Amino acid sequence: MPHHVIIGGGPAGYTAGIYAARANLQPLLVQGMQPGGQLMLTTEVENFPGFPHGIDGYQLMQNLREQATRFGTRFEQAMVTSVDFTSMPRKLICGDRTILTKALIIATGAS
């Protein structure tokens, strides 16, 4: 059972993965049908910290994933359809599969 799960495959989810992995929490990041989020379709991102001249959205998401992976974030592509917050561990329903977790970060972004 993963102790820490992150729902969301955009910049917020990947950033949460980086910080959780650096804290040795061994996070599992569950990303939906569009890994990398909407930034994967963006040609120029000019307002992301650390890139004063902008960066291609696809490249930014590749960089974030590489960094999260380097620290130990695990990735799974699945659509979370519901979460049961009434029990511990929490239950994430992904189709016919259930993921149990002690802690959950929801970073689902714009979609």
Side-chain angles (χ1 to χ4, degrees):
M1 169 179 68
H3 293 284
H4 299 82
V5 172
I6 301 158
I7 301 173
Y14 281 29
T15 300
I18 291 167
Y19 282 96
R22 286 186 48 108
N24 295 318
L25 299 177
Q26 301 172 326
L28 170 65
L29 191 148
V30 180
Q31 46 194 0
M33 303 315 294
Q34 186 178 2
Q38 289 183 325
L39 279 183
M40 295 296 279
L41 307 173
T42 304
T43 55
E44 190 71 22
V45 178
E46 298 189 88
N47 62 341
F48 198 87
F51 297 94
H53 303 288
I55 185 170
D56 176 76
Y58 178 83
Q59 186 60 56
L60 174 61
M61 294 314 300
Q62 292 294 76
N63 292 355
L64 287 169
R65 183 182 174 104
E66 182 180 327
Q67 189 173 10
T69 300
R70 188 178 107 204
F71 290 113
T73 300
R74 293 171 295 121
F75 293 86
E76 184 173 315
Q77 189 167 349
M79 183 62 69
V80 177
T81 55
S82 67
V83 178
D84 180 358
F85 290 103
T86 64
S87 65
M88 187 56 84
R90 307 292 186 219
K91 295 177 187 165
L92 285 69
I93 308 302
C94 306
D96 61 352
R97 181 163 179 248
T98 300
I99 299 173
L100 303 175
T101 184
K102 290 183 178 180
L104 176 64
I105 296 172
I106 301 172
T108 53
S111 297

